[in-house]
């Protein structure tokens, strides 16, 4: 017996209404609170520093322990909140089990790709923490109105203004990162995959969710049931089947990584990564248009990365954010102010 179909997305008019349940700004705060330690610790353990064991952890080596922690955090969250009951049921051998539908499973696979590519983006030498974040965030900002156009959702004037301010922050960041313009090829591939996964995921969400509270909760639960477990399976297969340095790094993540002094940090990174996934998914599933939700999500993460950079500069002597990066942060704050205040003025 298959799943009942997920109801179609709400109309443009209903999508403009505030969602049931907690405000999107509470989800944004949770996202920020998880993203600060996630990005700071990832950069710390993968960079040469007197404050962590040497040599630094390689990017692919960090994936297995962090994803294992993400899987544990996912199911701990679902059972602690009782949200696992919102998943659709499917009959297998006479038992009705909570399992995802086809489209939510696809969205979960895209989310798995986002988890992996985000973690890797912060591990490339020669690519600053802030620039990596802004490249990814800026790409998703460009995608947002495209998704709204494809799915028939109206983009209101303050969402356009917030998008413009967020894009202006990227211009400022690129100006400050002139010396980092020669981005590693693998970093470019990683970011391209990240954006492709986001485009597919946001399109599916806009078409099949962002409607009533029950539909959104079901979509959310079914997606996170797939994302981290699917990524862990892919990583394990890679460790077993891939040769060369790639396979060796993945295998080390399952074995020798746990002999390093920093292995607890790898698990904390995974838990915080899943926290960003949980809060980020709840932001995107808000009933309002994608061009409203994306700036909220992106601004939270950019401010979190800026905070992480300040923490690393104060604690381990990493490079502090530059003047133009501060300008970018101010523009992001302006975008958040527009998204917060304009709907109130409109009412």
């Amino acid at each position: 017996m298959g799943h009942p179909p997920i109801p179609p997305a709400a109309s443009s008019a209903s999508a403009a209404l505030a969602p049931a349940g907690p405000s999107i700004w509470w989800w944004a705060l949770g996202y920020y609170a998880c993203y600060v330690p996630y990005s700071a610790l990832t950069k710390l353990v993968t960079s040469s520093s007197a404050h962590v064991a040497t040599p630094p952890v390689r990017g692919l080596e960090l994936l297995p322990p962090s994803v294992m922690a993400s899987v544990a955090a996912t199911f701990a969250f679902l059972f602690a909140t009782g949200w696992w009951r919102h998943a659709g049921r499917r009959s297998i051998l006479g038992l009705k089990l909570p399992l995802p539908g086809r489209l939510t499973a696809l969205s979960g696979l895209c989310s798995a790709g986002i988890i992996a590519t985000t973690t890797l983006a912060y591990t490339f030498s020669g690519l600053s923490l802030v620039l990596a974040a802004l490249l990814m965030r800026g790409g998703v900002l460009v995608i947002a109105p495209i998704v709204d156009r494809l799915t028939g959702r109206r983009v209101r004037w303050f969402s356009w203004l917030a998008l413009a301010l967020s894009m202006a922050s990227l211009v400022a960041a690129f100006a400050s990162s002139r010396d980092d313009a020669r981005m590693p090829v693998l970093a470019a591939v990683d970011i391209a995959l990240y954006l492709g996964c986001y485009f597919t995921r946001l399109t599916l969400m806009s078409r099949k969710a962002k409607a009533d509270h029950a539909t959104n909760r079901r979509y959310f639960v079914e997606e996170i049931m797939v994302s981290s477990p699917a990524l862990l399976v892919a990583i394990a297969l890679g460790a077993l089947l891939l040769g060369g340095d790639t396979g060796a790094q993945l295998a080390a993540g399952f074995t020798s990584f746990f002999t390093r002094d920093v292995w607890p940090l790898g698990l904390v990174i995974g838990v915080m990564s899943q926290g960003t996934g949980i809060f980020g998914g709840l932001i995107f599933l808000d009933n309002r248009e994608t061009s409203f939700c994306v700036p909220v999500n992106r601004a939270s993460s950019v401010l979190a990365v800026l905070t992480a950079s300040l923490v690393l500069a104060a604690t381990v002597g990493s490079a502090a954010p530059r003047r133009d990066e501060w300008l970018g942060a101010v523009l992001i704050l302006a975008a958040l102010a527009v998204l917060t205040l304009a709907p109130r003025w409109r009412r």
Side-chain angles (χ1 to χ4, degrees), residues 28-188:
L29 179 61
Y31 188 85
Y32 171 87
C34 291
Y35 211 102
V36 172
Y38 162 62
S39 56
L41 290 175
T42 300
K43 197 66 176 178
L44 182 65
V45 303
T46 58
S47 304
S48 297
S49 171
H51 295 262
V52 297
T54 54
V57 179
R58 295 173 294 177
L60 291 176
E61 183 182 356
L62 182 60
L63 277 178
S66 64
V67 175
M68 283 191 282
S70 292
V71 172
T74 296
F75 289 101
F77 172 82
L78 290 177
F79 281 99
T81 60
W83 285 13
W84 62 272
R85 298 183 181 90
H86 293 274
R89 298 304 199 268
R90 189 169 186 174
S91 181
I92 298 179
L93 299 177
L95 298 175
K96 287 189 175 181
L97 301 176
L99 292 172
R102 183 178 58 185
L103 293 178
T104 48
L106 175 58
S107 186
L109 291 175
C110 290
S111 183
I114 291 167
I115 295 169
T117 52
T118 301
T119 300
L120 288 176
Y122 295 137
T123 67
F124 293 107
S125 60
L127 185 64
S128 76
L129 188 66
V130 173
L131 180 59
L134 288 167
L135 283 169
M136 293 185 289
R137 275 66 190 146
V140 180
L141 287 167
V142 172
I143 286 170
I146 298 173
V147 170
D148 283 327
R149 178 59 63 90
L150 290 175
T151 57
R153 291 179 181 267
R154 181 173 61 88
V155 182
R156 293 166 292 171
W157 68 268
F158 45 83
S159 295
W160 282 117
L161 180 54
L163 282 168
L165 289 168
S166 299
M167 290 301 298
S169 76
L170 298 181
V171 174
F174 278 119
S176 74
S177 304
R178 295 186 286 272
D179 298 333
D180 299 332
R182 289 164 54 179
M183 186 170 57
V185 173
L186 287 178

Side-chain angles (χ1 to χ4, degrees), residues 257-274:
F257 175 82
F258 291 96
T259 65
R260 290 175 175 264
D261 293 337
V262 296
W263 71 264
L265 296 182
L267 301 183
V268 174
I269 288 169
V271 173
M272 292 297 102
S273 172
Q274 190 56 42

Side-chain angles (χ1 to χ4, degrees), residues 125-256:
S125 60
L127 185 64
S128 76
L129 188 66
V130 173
L131 180 59
L134 288 167
L135 283 169
M136 293 185 289
R137 275 66 190 146
V140 180
L141 287 167
V142 172
I143 286 170
I146 298 173
V147 170
D148 283 327
R149 178 59 63 90
L150 290 175
T151 57
R153 291 179 181 267
R154 181 173 61 88
V155 182
R156 293 166 292 171
W157 68 268
F158 45 83
S159 295
W160 282 117
L161 180 54
L163 282 168
L165 289 168
S166 299
M167 290 301 298
S169 76
L170 298 181
V171 174
F174 278 119
S176 74
S177 304
R178 295 186 286 272
D179 298 333
D180 299 332
R182 289 164 54 179
M183 186 170 57
V185 173
L186 287 178
V189 172
D190 179 78
I191 290 170
L193 290 172
Y194 170 91
L195 295 176
C197 288
Y198 249 121
F199 177 79
T200 304
R201 183 188 183 202
L202 291 175
T203 301
L204 288 172
M205 279 185 171
S206 195
R207 290 189 183 279
K208 300 300 179 183
K210 294 175 73 68
D212 59 273
H213 184 66
T215 299
N216 291 349
R217 184 61 54 82
R218 175 181 166 185
Y219 191 101
F220 169 80
V221 170
E222 291 187 5
E223 185 189 63
I224 67 169
M225 286 174 62
V226 172
S227 56
S228 295
L231 181 57
L232 183 60
V233 170
I235 291 171
L237 290 175
L240 290 172
L241 303 177
L242 295 178
D245 188 55
T246 299
Q249 284 191 51
L250 292 175
F254 286 103
T255 54
S256 61

